[in-house]
Amino acid sequence: MNYCFITLRSLTMAQKAETLLRRNGISCTLQRTPRWMEEQGCGNGLRVNCEDIEECVRLLKRNNIPYKRVYLRRENGKMEEMAQ
């Protein structure tokens, strides 16, 4: 199953983002990032449904919650960065 993954710089920012998204009716799961993402300075992220990604990014920007990148995880397990 495809899903989107939003990376954030710190656990605190990831928790704030999770609270914001859930308060706005968006289902999300806080997760550690894969090892290769940690090397880029992204240790935490949120797994969200891809159909919600535009609303997620809009809410994060509007509420000044900085995020790093947004990825699409394909069914084959590969992750590719999405344009924002």
Side-chain angles (χ1 to χ4, degrees):
M1 171 160 88
N2 291 346
Y3 65 83
C4 288
F5 195 77
I6 303 169
T7 60
L8 296 109
R9 190 156 91 196
S10 69
L11 178 58
T12 301
M13 285 296 115
Q15 289 170 330
K16 286 183 179 183
E18 178 185 32
T19 299
L20 173 69
L21 297 181
R22 287 189 175 176
R23 201 175 329 131
N24 283 276
I26 297 173
S27 177
C28 61
T29 305
L30 179 64
Q31 294 183 333
R32 294 282 303 161
T33 57
R35 170 79 78 216
W36 64 270
M37 284 184 188
E38 288 179 13
E39 294 168 359
Q40 298 174 4
C42 303
N44 298 281
L46 293 174
R47 178 180 170 160
V48 298
N49 292 326
C50 289
E51 27 317 321
D52 296 326
I53 197 63
E54 288 182 25
E55 179 68 7
C56 292
V57 169
R58 187 181 66 73
L59 285 167
L60 294 174
K61 287 180 179 178
R62 186 170 38 154
N63 289 274
N64 297 315
I65 297 177
Y67 61 93
K68 293 280 210 167
R69 294 185 170 98
V70 177
Y71 293 91
L72 168 65
R73 184 188 179 279
R74 301 248 180 228
E75 289 183 23
N76 63 7
K78 291 186 179 184
M79 293 185 89
E80 59 188 63
E81 188 172 352
M82 297 175 66
Q84 301 168 38

